[in-house]
Amino acid sequence: MNRYLLLFTFLVFIKQPVKSQPERWQQSVKYKMDINFDVKKHQFDGLQVVQYTNNSPDTLYNVFYHLYFNAFQPNSMMDVRSRTIADPDKRVGDRIVKLTTDEQGFIRINSLKLNGRKVLHKSVGTILEVKLNEPILPNTTVVFEMDFKGQVPLQIRRSGRFNAEGIEYSMAQWYPKLCNYDYQGWHANPYVAREFYGVWGNFEVNITMPSNYIIAATGILQNATEIGFGYSASEPEERKEKNIWRFKAENVHDFVWAADPDYKQIVNKNDDGTIVRYFFQPGEKTTENWERLPVIMNEAFSFINSKFGKYPFSEYSFIQGGDGGMEYPMATLITGNRTLPSLVGVSVHELMHSWFQMVLGSNEALYPWMDEGFTSYASNEVMNHLKIKKLIPGEPLDNPHIKDINGYINFSLSGKEEPLITHSDHYVTNTAYGVGSYTKGEVLLEQIKYIIGEQAFESGMLQYFETWKFKHPNSNDFFRVMEKVSGLELDWFKEYFVYTTHTIDYEIEDFKDKTIFLKNKGFMPMPLDITVKTKDGKQFQYYIAQEIMRGEKKGDKVFKNFKVLEDWAWTHPNYSFKINQKLSEIESIEIDASKRLADVDRSNNIWPRLEPKVKPEKE
Ligand SMILES: [Zn+2]
């Protein structure tokens, strides 16, 4: 369809608001981009038509776009942040300030029109500020037309040309992308190499490139028979000098692609029907391991579908590119010269983001733990399952999260922890951001599972997916789902674990006269699982709920057949209860024998107290 005819259609088009929850609206967008790529200059010209629907009750007087490639210029916020933060990411370090003019990245806007009329715009670092000459009214759709030019920077972080493994173009965060406007307002965050957030919508991207390049991308290739290269059963009879690759993606909030003349593509149809594509550069360090991925990832998809919700797209691509692993809709860029366990590990982690971010599209900048933490939790579950299935080497564990629980505990004791509610860009250190988002986010799910029981937790994760897929859940939305499936009140947990850095520390203070004396030494209340083992081999389980939970957990797979004791009120430091055994009959009394509770001092969780280890004397 002709662009101007299209424009006319949009102008008369008024849509009803899309409602995700009764009180929650979300914006929607349709991108159409024609990209002409110059592989000699590493530059591209782009024509972008965006149909933007304002489903909010607000009149918008300005809009913002992300211009991520502008971060790869000396003295950009990302550059200076990387050179001044106490613990820089080694992949960035001081590399940006050393880029020459033709190694830098940029996105330049040649023109921008709203409904056919030019609008004022100003590039401020990685954000394009646009003042509208006509406001966008609630429940209307407008059309932005943009003419832009981009230069692909040398690979520094996530995106760029010629990565360390020789992939020519890793094209992530490469186009002018509308910032999201939601019930919390605009999110025009400048890019400092952290998290992303986008508007849900559809993409139509046409890329013109020399015909020796193979492209892997978000979405479905529309002209597969014209292209070949493994996208269709046969190859085209003759190749023109250039190919136009036509991709479409629906219900996504970003679009990634990568291009290299040496890509080999393996295509596999999963048992769940998903077509999965694997793009890698054949070689000694890649071919053997990449050829083993399809069988392993088929099992991973099946397991994830059953635990976290059914993968809703028809295709997914694992693409060698980037600088480690980074998730995008329907695709990931991962480095590929890896051992098999490492290759599977990164593939599983990035795939998991298809659930926690690419379908449950939280604002990652505000809630990085909802994507990285939940992904870390799920990845450990998947890797453990693959070990049980003997698809990857290693012994499966009863609790695959213990290492990360200990990691969180150690960091929380360092005094450098920052609360999870911190905006991802504004953590003081990279480490605090990393531990908070990945590790403590994972531990948070493990604590919820401990509090509400495994059965409620598992159905809660599925319920969370069903309720919030293709929407923008915030942290409260997640806790509300968990409250509904468990029938318990969990606001207190959220307020302690997300908003503060308070820690958990319970102690068995004493045992005498058949009475167990407990003490809360930490600042955070939690329910307690208590296991009493007797010398004649019997085991008794006791459960103390927090009064503010307004109920007890049910159906815990690890802690079964427990006797429910009286609730513990969080204001009370002490608690005691009687059992039928006397000291001489007791083998051990333990708080949380399953080691799921993130208790920062486990040494006082057991009675009789473990003998302190005697330090060997100096020679
Ligand atoms: Zn991740």
Side-chain angles (χ1 to χ4, degrees):
M1 197 191 281
N2 177 298
R3 210 145 49 87
Y4 294 100
L5 183 62
L6 204 68
L7 188 72
F8 175 75
T9 320
F10 294 162
L11 287 173
V12 295
F13 182 65
I14 293 178
K15 241 180 100 181
Q16 287 303 306
V18 174
K19 290 196 174 166
S20 55
Q21 288 286 284
E23 74 289 9
R24 191 86 57 83
W25 45 267
Q26 60 189 27
Q27 306 296 65
S28 88
V29 74
K30 279 184 187 170
Y31 285 90
K32 184 174 183 298
M33 288 190 272
D34 289 294
I35 304 301
N36 201 343
F37 205 94
D38 179 344
V39 295
K40 288 203 181 76
K41 289 185 176 160
H42 314 294
Q43 292 181 347
F44 51 99
D45 293 306
L47 212 55
Q48 183 192 68
V49 180
V50 167
Q51 180 185 331
Y52 181 66
T53 304
N54 177 17
N55 291 313
S56 82
D58 307 326
T59 299
L60 304 179
Y61 297 93
N62 43 21
V63 298
F64 302 90
Y65 288 75
H66 295 282
L67 307 173
Y68 294 108
F69 271 5
N70 290 350
F72 302 102
Q73 294 170 10
N75 290 315
S76 70
M77 287 178 73
M78 178 173 165
D79 172 38
V80 176
R81 176 76 166 147
S82 175
R83 287 187 286 125
T84 52
I85 199 165
D87 56 344
D89 181 336
K90 287 196 183 75
R91 289 170 292 199
V92 184
D94 62 353
R95 291 176 63 212
I96 297 176
V97 76
K98 292 175 179 166
L99 292 173
T100 62
T101 311
D102 59 355
E103 292 171 340
Q104 293 167 16
F106 65 72
I107 294 284
R108 281 182 200 142
I109 312 305
N110 298 325
S111 73
L112 179 64
K113 289 178 190 165
L114 167 62
N115 290 342
R117 290 175 58 201
K118 284 199 170 180
V119 284
L120 287 176
H121 56 88
K122 187 178 162 197
S123 294
V124 182
T126 55
I127 295 292
L128 182 74
E129 301 176 350
V130 183
K131 267 208 170 70
L132 303 177
N133 32 29
E134 50 178 303
I136 307 174
L137 299 177
N139 304 320
T140 59
T141 297
V142 296
V143 176
F144 287 103
E145 274 179 282
M146 183 190 281
D147 187 318
F148 67 98
K149 189 178 198 67
Q151 176 167 292
V152 187
L154 269 191
Q155 169 83 31
I156 301 285
R157 182 82 181 94
R158 293 175 176 144
S159 205
R161 65 195 208 232
F162 303 109
N163 82 346
E165 296 181 348
I167 302 299
E168 288 201 17
Y169 298 106
S170 300
M171 299 294 289
Q173 292 93 34
W174 58 278
Y175 61 95
K177 177 181 164 183
L178 264 173
C179 298
N180 206 357
Y181 180 81
D182 64 18
Y183 71 104
Q184 303 191 75
W186 279 107
H187 300 278
N189 294 324
Y191 186 48
V192 295
R194 286 264 167 83
E195 306 286 350
F196 303 97
Y197 188 38
V199 188
W200 284 110
N202 298 343
F203 283 73
E204 196 181 329
V205 182
N206 304 320
I207 304 163
T208 305
M209 253 198 147
S211 59
N212 60 322
Y213 279 82
I214 301 169
I215 297 182
T218 294
I220 315 289
L221 183 65
Q222 303 295 302
N223 55 338
T225 48
E226 224 174 280
I227 296 290
F229 291 130
Y231 279 99
S232 64
S234 60
E235 293 299 306
E237 275 178 19
E238 57 168 336
R239 290 202 180 275
K240 290 174 223 138
E241 200 189 321
K242 289 185 172 181
N243 274 331
I244 303 178
W245 296 69
R246 301 179 185 280
F247 290 96
K248 274 189 183 173
E250 290 186 357
N251 234 351
V252 294
H253 52 67
D254 202 358
F255 187 96
V256 70
W257 60 286
D260 195 280
D262 304 320
Y263 272 146
K264 182 189 170 181
Q265 178 178 186
I266 298 175
V267 187
N268 185 53
K269 191 170 183 179
N270 277 346
D271 293 341
D272 68 1
T274 313
I275 298 195
V276 184
R277 303 177 184 278
Y278 302 83
F279 295 88
F280 64 100
Q281 205 161 232
E284 259 174 44
K285 291 178 177 167
T286 50
T287 307
E288 203 188 321
N289 291 335
W290 278 76
E291 284 176 345
R292 290 174 70 181
L293 269 185
V295 170
I296 300 170
M297 298 317 292
N298 177 49
E299 181 62 31
F301 267 89
S302 300
F303 179 77
I304 301 166
N305 287 336
S306 71
K307 293 282 177 188
F308 301 101
K310 170 87 175 68
Y311 181 73
F313 301 104
S314 60
E315 295 200 11
Y316 187 84
S317 296
F318 292 94
I319 307 165
Q320 186 181 3
D323 60 359
M326 186 62 196
E327 69 276 12
Y328 305 99
M330 302 174 72
T332 176
L333 295 182
I334 54 175
T335 46
N337 300 345
R338 295 166 177 266
T339 61
L340 185 71
S342 164
L343 184 63
V344 174
V346 72
S347 300
V348 164
H349 179 98
E350 305 311 336
L351 172 64
M352 233 23 271
H353 278 299
S354 282
W355 281 255
F356 304 113
Q357 186 53 20
M358 300 312 152
V359 175
L360 295 156
S362 302
N363 182 343
E364 283 183 303
L366 292 180
Y367 319 109
W369 53 275
M370 290 179 76
D371 76 309
E372 293 304 349
F374 290 13
T375 289
S376 300
Y377 174 89
S379 305
N380 278 332
E381 293 279 318
V382 179
M383 291 301 277
N384 212 41
H385 174 77
L386 295 176
K387 285 174 189 164
I388 293 168
K389 290 278 172 187
K390 300 206 182 307
L391 284 166
I392 52 168
E395 278 301 306
L397 301 170
D398 288 340
N399 181 353
H401 310 289
I402 280 189
K403 200 173 135 236
D404 290 320
I405 292 176
N406 291 334
Y408 151 71
I409 289 171
N410 289 336
F411 191 69
S412 74
L413 296 173
S414 75
K416 291 185 177 158
E417 192 194 350
E418 296 171 52
L420 283 188
I421 199 67
T422 309
H423 186 294
S424 67
D425 291 344
H426 298 280
Y427 274 90
V428 174
T429 63
N430 276 321
T431 314
Y433 152 76
V435 175
S437 315
Y438 289 74
T439 316
K440 194 178 179 185
E442 173 182 352
V443 174
L444 180 146
L445 285 192
E446 187 68 2
Q447 302 311 289
I448 292 284
K449 188 163 80 181
Y450 168 86
I451 296 168
I452 71 176
E454 201 153 347
Q455 277 171 26
F457 174 79
E458 287 191 349
S459 68
M461 292 309 283
L462 289 168
Q463 194 63 51
Y464 173 49
F465 182 83
E466 286 306 320
T467 310
W468 286 100
K469 61 185 174 186
F470 302 114
K471 296 165 194 167
H472 301 294
N474 63 33
S475 59
N476 198 57
D477 298 326
F478 169 75
F479 285 105
R480 286 296 295 128
V481 172
M482 289 299 169
E483 286 191 335
K484 286 175 187 170
V485 291
S486 66
L488 300 176
E489 218 177 299
L490 297 169
D491 51 352
W492 58 274
F493 175 80
K494 177 189 69 188
E495 282 141 20
Y496 278 102
F497 214 66
V498 176
Y499 301 167
T500 79
T501 55
H502 292 342
T503 52
I504 304 161
D505 184 13
Y506 279 90
E507 144 178 272
I508 301 177
E509 204 177 20
D510 206 351
F511 177 69
K512 59 187 176 202
D513 306 328
K514 296 186 175 179
T515 304
I516 298 172
F517 293 89
L518 301 166
K519 185 170 185 169
N520 183 5
K521 295 181 77 178
F523 285 107
M524 180 163 171
M526 283 291 271
L528 293 187
D529 293 352
I530 295 178
T531 303
V532 176
K533 287 182 182 164
T534 59
K535 285 185 176 154
D536 59 357
K538 286 192 188 117
Q539 187 167 305
F540 302 91
Q541 316 240 63
Y542 300 92
Y543 173 74
I544 307 165
Q546 279 293 330
E547 196 178 282
I548 44 175
M549 289 163 57
R550 305 290 157 210
E552 304 83 41
K553 71 173 160 188
K554 294 163 196 81
D556 196 352
K557 282 185 196 162
V558 183
F559 188 71
K560 288 182 223 168
N561 305 324
F562 49 79
K563 183 178 180 209
V564 178
L565 302 175
E566 226 176 278
D567 289 348
W568 189 333
W570 69 267
T571 46
H572 294 35
N574 301 300
Y575 184 104
S576 62
F577 67 99
K578 262 192 152 31
I579 58 173
N580 294 326
Q581 292 78 21
K582 42 184 198 282
L583 187 60
S584 58
E585 296 170 87
I586 295 291
E587 173 74 32
S588 68
I589 304 167
E590 189 171 4
I591 297 172
D592 178 39
S594 69
K595 314 274 192 292
R596 292 176 297 174
L597 186 66
D599 188 312
V600 295
D601 181 5
R602 292 192 165 279
S603 71
N604 58 20
N605 284 23
I606 195 150
W607 191 270
R609 284 287 163 75
L610 301 169
E611 291 284 314
K613 279 184 191 142
V614 182
K615 282 186 187 158
E617 281 184 31
K618 280 185 183 165
E619 286 173 0

